[in-house]
Amino acid sequence: MPESAGQCTAPMNNQLLIQYFHWYYNEDQLLWEKVKNDAGWLSELGITLLWLPPTYKGREGANCIGYEPYDLFDIGEFDQKGSVATRYGDRSQYEAAVAALRSHGVGTVADVVFNHKAGGDELERVTVRRVDPNNREAFISEDFEIDAWTKFTFPGRKGKHSAFIWDFHCFSGVDWAEDLQESAIFSIQNQYGEGWEPVPSTENGNYDFLMFDDIDFRNNNVREELKHWGSWYLESFKPAGFRLDAVKHINTGFVNEWVDHINAVSEEPLFIVAENWSVESLQALEDYLDATGSRFQLFDSMLHHNLYQASIQGEAYDLSQILNNTLVSTRPERAVTFVDNHDTQPLQSLESYVDFWFRPLAYALILLREQGIPCLFFPDLYGAIYQDAGAEGEEHEIMLAKVEELPVLAKVRAQLAYGMQRDYFDFPSCIGWTREGDAEKPQSGFAVIMSNGTEGFKDMEMGAAFAGKTMVDVLGKREGEVIVNEEGWGSFHCAAGSVSVWVLKDASL
């Protein structure tokens, strides 16, 4: 008998997100041009939303990945920081990319980096105290003054879109004293308090400060300016949603305020997802959802951790437990599932890249199940080659292979992943599940079986509608056919260390 069964749901089209970049994007085409050119193909795969990198000017201009934001209003429009265009193109190219996606029914998810600013235009004399980096609640000096790059005047923009000038009153801390030529954590002593704001993360005592000029959300002028930016961006570029970066370092009250504002001014429902990174505590993710009133989705970093562990432990990992202690198992309606992202790819700060042999299995787990909204990762669709220094300082060349099964798995999700789900997570090295399909989605339904050990097989129920029908492995891993018996059951197989997806023989993708 199946371990569990899901409820039937209305046959709405499945959502599918892709992170359409990685940290080292270095292809010949500018990213905005690539988006425009591939919009049709991405739609054919069943992708409904593209999460794009930060679109605004960073402190290093055209060389900036995007997570060191300088001017949120400069979408490759003004000559600032040594360039007009960003790393990914200029404003007109971005607008053309968005228009191409929209013409194919695909929306954009804009990356929002509110935690900090970088690349200030002018120095200010600021009163600070040094902070213990391992216990941010502990000051290790008395008040003293430093020269800090805390004034942002945006001379190239000349007040267009916004006349707001950022100064030290807008920040709670910095990590560089220009006059001392010293890197440290300096808490700015301002009218809003001598210490940090309350934030979700208690790492290092209080993890409000992350990097650069830390934005102080106790300043009402700051909050209003960021809400103004959200309204302007929404009106200018019509994104389908937003991805909120590094929220565990940001005052939760402000996040709620901003999300409520942007939803109120939007003419359409928005898809909003936040990154609250935790691979040690599911409770931290659940507490954050509670603190935000489940206003938006969260990336399921706990599931990523399970996928990573399964990939490096091989057959020693108990696949029947792979969904345990994950957001998708406890709050499936709020979970955005993923295999990897720009922080976990090789040579990055949270490196924990799921091993290549397991990536098809991992994608089957996030794409073909009823629970969660899955997010693909750019290198898994296109591949990637890049170089960078590792932690030991030596240069490495990294080659990330495409997951060849991914286009088919994405199409299976879009066209066939409907109907009741029956789970067979009943053996440590071999698990499976079935979807019985929906009458309003022709040829829908399938059986998935995977093994992290030897060849696997399971008897699984497809449902009475499949009685007498013939099924084949759409991934081509197994030859032969399965004929479902008159009770709606079939015997399904997969190769060792592999995954098979059995669909109706006459299903067309």
Side-chain angles (χ1 to χ4, degrees):
M1 293 295 292
E3 178 183 281
S4 65
Q7 294 182 342
C8 292
T9 58
M12 298 174 63
N13 291 333
N14 290 319
Q15 286 184 290
L16 177 55
L17 182 65
I18 181 172
Q19 179 180 356
Y20 203 76
F21 66 100
H22 63 100
W23 193 262
Y24 301 95
Y25 180 82
N26 56 1
E27 298 200 9
D28 292 337
Q29 281 183 306
L30 288 170
L31 186 63
W32 300 157
E33 292 294 321
K34 188 170 186 66
V35 170
K36 181 182 71 174
N37 294 336
D38 281 7
W41 178 59
L42 296 170
S43 177
E44 290 173 4
L45 293 181
I47 291 168
T48 58
L49 293 168
L50 259 70
W51 161 23
L52 297 173
T55 55
Y56 27 81
K57 192 69 59 68
R59 69 170 183 150
E60 295 181 338
N63 295 318
C64 192
I65 305 297
Y67 293 96
E68 302 170 359
Y70 163 67
D71 186 358
L72 300 181
F73 288 94
D74 184 357
I75 315 298
E77 183 179 0
F78 306 100
D79 188 356
Q80 300 189 116
K81 297 301 176 185
S83 69
V84 173
T86 70
R87 181 184 183 92
Y88 309 111
D90 62 26
R91 175 169 176 160
S92 63
Q93 291 169 315
Y94 175 59
E95 290 173 327
V98 171
L101 289 169
R102 191 176 294 122
S103 72
H104 290 283
V106 181
T108 57
V109 175
D111 208 326
V112 180
V113 185
F114 278 162
N115 180 72
H116 52 271
K117 292 183 77 66
D121 299 300
E122 298 177 16
L123 288 166
E124 294 184 292
R125 196 70 177 162
V126 181
T127 300
V128 299
R129 296 178 74 180
R130 283 191 180 87
V131 175
D132 182 346
N134 299 313
N135 178 11
R136 310 292 174 81
E137 301 280 19
F139 293 119
I140 55 175
S141 80
E142 298 301 320
D143 290 6
F144 67 103
E145 291 186 341
I146 63 170
D147 290 337
W149 293 99
T150 48
K151 193 159 189 178
F152 292 74
T153 61
F154 316 113
R157 181 158 55 80
K158 297 180 174 64
K160 187 175 181 181
H161 308 315
S162 171
F164 189 80
I165 301 298
W166 294 69
D167 63 17
F168 73 90
H169 298 288
C170 302
F171 303 105
S172 59
V174 295
D175 59 4
W176 177 253
E178 180 68 20
D179 53 333
L180 304 178
Q181 293 290 291
E182 179 184 347
S183 177
I185 299 177
F186 302 99
S187 171
I188 294 176
Q189 307 301 287
N190 60 28
Q191 67 267 43
Y192 303 108
E194 64 175 15
W196 309 108
E197 295 182 73
V199 296
S201 178
T202 57
E203 295 175 60
N204 302 314
N206 175 302
Y207 216 171
D208 180 6
F209 188 87
L210 180 62
M211 62 180 71
F212 300 115
D213 295 2
D214 188 74
I215 291 177
D216 196 333
F217 300 101
R218 294 170 293 195
N219 184 330
N220 184 64
N221 294 327
V222 165
R223 296 199 305 274
E224 292 304 313
E225 174 67 0
L226 294 177
K227 287 190 288 185
H228 165 61
W229 174 82
S231 299
W232 170 81
Y233 197 93
L234 191 64
E235 181 180 357
S236 300
F237 306 108
K238 304 292 189 297
F242 295 92
R243 180 256 184 189
L244 308 179
D245 181 63
V247 293
K248 73 179 185 179
H249 307 284
I250 300 175
N251 185 304
T252 303
F254 167 73
V255 173
N256 290 343
E257 181 180 335
W258 190 86
V259 168
D260 287 347
H261 166 78
I262 205 69
N263 279 324
V265 299
S266 178
E267 297 177 356
E268 302 289 339
L270 293 170
F271 175 88
I272 300 178
V273 58
E275 178 223 10
N276 184 9
W277 188 264
S278 174
V279 294
E280 296 177 351
S281 172
L282 173 62
Q283 192 66 49
L285 300 184
E286 294 180 325
D287 287 349
Y288 191 74
L289 284 175
D290 292 339
T292 57
S294 292
R295 283 169 166 84
F296 42 79
Q297 315 293 122
L298 275 187
F299 285 108
D300 192 351
S301 48
M302 298 298 295
L303 176 61
H304 157 77
H305 182 67
N306 285 4
L307 298 175
Y308 172 65
Q309 290 297 321
S311 78
I312 60 176
Q313 292 181 30
E315 192 173 6
Y317 188 90
D318 185 349
L319 284 181
S320 70
Q321 306 299 309
I322 198 164
L323 298 180
N324 287 6
N325 201 37
T326 64
L327 196 64
V328 76
S329 66
T330 62
R331 304 281 186 91
E333 74 287 353
R334 288 298 169 203
V336 173
T337 55
F338 67 101
V339 176
D340 275 296
N341 64 25
H342 62 293
D343 287 324
T344 67
Q345 70 182 101
L347 304 182
Q348 276 304 291
S349 59
L350 302 174
E351 181 176 342
S352 48
Y353 204 66
V354 173
D355 203 2
F356 292 101
W357 76 272
F358 195 75
R359 297 185 83 77
L361 287 72
Y363 271 115
L365 275 162
I366 71 169
L367 284 168
L368 303 184
R369 294 184 57 75
E370 184 178 9
Q371 296 79 15
I373 297 173
C375 182
L376 313 181
F377 188 36
F378 182 98
D380 290 320
L381 203 55
Y382 292 95
I385 301 175
Y386 58 88
Q387 293 181 326
D388 199 1
E392 75 288 349
E394 294 184 8
E395 197 77 8
H396 297 270
E397 181 175 54
I398 303 296
M399 300 180 67
L400 303 181
K402 293 188 289 187
V403 177
E404 298 294 344
E405 300 89 344
L406 191 53
V408 172
L409 289 171
K411 289 182 178 181
V412 170
R413 173 176 177 79
Q415 299 175 36
L416 308 182
Y418 300 96
M420 180 186 290
Q421 177 174 289
R422 297 178 175 91
D423 286 342
Y424 298 84
F425 284 44
D426 50 8
F427 195 75
S429 63
C430 182
I431 60 173
W433 67 93
T434 64
R435 302 290 299 274
E436 71 171 25
D438 190 285
E440 296 185 31
K441 296 290 185 179
Q443 304 171 323
S444 61
F446 50 71
V448 180
I449 180 170
M450 63 179 64
S451 168
N452 64 358
T454 58
E455 176 181 336
F457 67 92
K458 282 187 184 295
D459 290 335
M460 298 190 290
E461 184 179 3
M462 285 299 306
F466 279 76
K469 294 188 176 180
T470 302
M471 304 182 73
V472 295
D473 179 11
V474 73
L475 298 180
K477 307 286 187 180
R478 297 285 302 192
E479 297 181 355
E481 301 174 345
V482 171
I483 299 177
V484 180
N485 68 22
E486 60 185 15
E487 283 82 32
W489 287 70
S491 182
F492 300 96
H493 293 248
C494 68
S498 184
V499 59
S500 287
V501 180
W502 295 85
V503 305
L504 289 172
K505 185 176 182 179
D506 57 355
S508 59
L509 297 175

